[in-house]
Amino acid sequence: MRAQRTFTVVGCHAGGEVGNVIVGGVLPPAGETVFEQMQTLRREGDWLRRVLLREPRGSVACHANLVVPATRDDCDAGFIIMEPTEYPAMSGSNTICTTTVLLETGMVEMQEPETHVRLEAPGGIVEARAACRDGKCESVEFTNVPCFADRLDAQIEVEDLGTVTVDIAFGGMWYAIADAQALGFEIAPEEARDLSLAGERIRVAAREQLPVEHPENSEISGVSIVQIAEPWQGVGKVTRNAVIVAPGRLDRSATGTGLSARLAVLHARGLMKVGDEMTHASPIGSTFDGRIVEETNVGDRAAILPAIRGSAWITGITQVLIDPSDPFPEGYLLSDTYGVSGLDSQDAH
């Protein structure tokens, strides 16, 4: 066995969505904040994402999180999120996975019955409260970055679908939210391929026709993910949704940023208020709970602070190797398995 590089990855999933966590073998990228470190990694170290998310070591169904020391004294750790086509500012399932791994591996000391973990994500500070018992992190509730609706009932022209009405909202990532009923979906597992095709077409159209940028960070811009959701079932009830991750595959979890974006839209419509709760269910039946903690502002935008709760499970520990003679040291992509396009760029279409 020969290895040009080795690093340690803790396998983890939250609600079925893989969010593996790199805990050794990679030095923190340069930068004075985790956001700047994320930019450095994207610009100078994207080989790491390619190794972990491309075949033969990974797949389009995986995310990876690089744990880094926090750049702030008031945080326990930082983390950089790598997804199939982007480095998002925030991710709910990845936050839950990273918190669980930090606690269950002892990188952050676990306190029972509850451990408070303060994380520095690229998009801002995330407060996590982990329910812990017998050495197990049973659930994680995190308060997300401020979230807000940008456009309600916007119309876009979508290939093969015609005119589609969407809400555009920031939930830590920029979402286009479409109505499943209007598109003829029930959000059932057997619809996964058709949901993915429709969602990817909506993403491309929304990204081109409805430009957006974060009012406090212009580099967080462009719709990059799509939610196809059944009509809202009401406060305290379960609503099914499907989130399509570029380049075209279903998120297996109920999606924390997606639920945050939905809460922001419902708040903007006057349907939910501070203290109200709801649950999102994914196509495989896993759930995340969400509630509106408080109202706030992002620039001149009315916004909310949502809290999202879910659970994660560690699946193993892997030493990833790169053999110097391997003909595919950074892996490869094929469209039969890597989404719709077989490419790993947001602007690949």
Side-chain angles (χ1 to χ4, degrees):
M1 181 184 74
R2 293 183 300 169
Q4 185 177 11
R5 289 293 301 259
T6 65
F7 39 97
T8 304
V9 178
V10 179
C12 193
H13 78 87
E17 185 74 351
V18 177
N20 297 330
V21 182
I22 306 158
V23 297
V26 181
L27 294 174
E32 294 185 3
T33 66
V34 169
F35 185 82
E36 290 182 3
Q37 291 179 340
M38 178 267 287
Q39 291 177 305
T40 301
L41 186 66
R42 180 173 58 195
R43 184 176 62 250
E44 301 174 10
D46 193 51
W47 63 269
L48 181 64
R49 181 183 63 89
R50 295 194 293 265
V51 165
L52 292 175
L53 301 189
R54 291 179 173 186
E55 296 179 73
R57 298 170 188 84
S59 79
V60 73
C62 295
H63 304 305
N65 301 282
L66 175 62
V67 172
V68 296
T71 65
R72 300 167 51 116
D73 292 338
D74 59 352
C75 290
D76 297 293
F79 69 113
I80 300 169
I81 309 149
M82 291 170 276
E83 297 201 350
T85 65
E86 64 177 324
Y87 290 75
M90 179 55 188
S91 167
S93 63
N94 284 297
T95 297
I96 295 168
C97 284
T98 299
T99 302
T100 299
V101 168
L102 288 171
L103 291 175
E104 293 195 13
T105 62
M107 294 179 72
V108 173
E109 184 179 358
M110 180 183 291
Q111 304 288 336
E112 299 184 11
E114 184 175 80
T115 308
H116 289 236
V117 182
R118 190 172 167 92
L119 296 174
E120 184 182 0
I125 305 305
V126 178
E127 298 273 2
R129 294 161 299 281
C132 303
R133 183 173 62 177
D134 298 331
K136 167 66 181 170
C137 177
E138 295 186 326
S139 68
V140 175
E141 181 183 76
F142 67 89
T143 302
N144 202 354
V145 298
C147 302
F148 55 92
D150 181 82
R151 297 174 175 92
L152 301 178
D153 296 324
Q155 292 192 330
I156 54 176
E157 296 302 317
V158 181
E159 180 185 355
D160 293 338
L161 298 177
T163 302
V164 176
T165 300
V166 296
D167 297 324
I168 305 298
F170 183 76
M173 302 169 70
W174 279 110
Y175 275 81
I177 304 175
D179 182 79
Q181 194 172 71
L183 294 171
F185 290 113
E186 297 179 0
I187 315 296
E190 59 269 20
E191 297 174 327
R193 194 75 218 128
D194 291 336
L195 283 163
S196 296
L197 290 168
E200 181 64 359
R201 289 176 179 136
I202 291 169
R203 181 192 70 83
V204 171
R207 192 171 180 85
E208 292 175 349
Q209 298 169 37
L210 300 173
V212 287
E213 68 176 42
H214 195 282
E216 296 181 346
N217 187 341
S218 62
E219 296 196 44
I220 302 175
S221 62
V223 169
S224 66
I225 195 164
V226 170
Q227 180 181 140
I228 298 176
E230 75 171 356
W232 184 56
Q233 300 300 297
V235 172
K237 297 184 178 179
V238 179
T239 301
R240 289 176 296 174
N241 91 124
V243 167
I244 295 85
V245 179
R249 64 96 175 164
L250 284 190
D251 193 312
R252 273 57 175 157
S253 77
T255 315
T257 54
L259 179 48
S260 297
R262 191 80 183 277
L263 288 168
V265 165
L266 292 167
H267 179 266
R269 293 187 185 279
L271 297 173
M272 293 188 72
K273 62 183 186 301
V274 172
D276 285 347
E277 302 181 0
M278 66 171 289
T279 298
H280 258 175
S282 76
I284 66 170
S286 58
T287 60
F288 286 165
D289 302 319
R291 62 186 174 92
I292 299 176
V293 176
E294 64 180 70
E295 296 173 339
T296 186
N297 291 286
V298 178
D300 61 354
R301 310 283 189 92
I304 62 166
L305 281 180
I308 307 298
R309 183 174 66 247
S311 298
W313 292 266
I314 290 176
T315 58
I317 300 176
T318 303
Q319 290 291 125
V320 177
L321 309 178
I322 302 177
D323 188 309
S325 66
D326 190 335
F328 305 109
E330 294 185 2
Y332 51 84
L333 304 176
L334 286 172
S335 61
D336 64 333
T337 58
Y338 209 92
V340 172
S341 68
L343 300 171
D344 59 357
S345 167
Q346 280 282 322
D347 299 308
H349 301 269

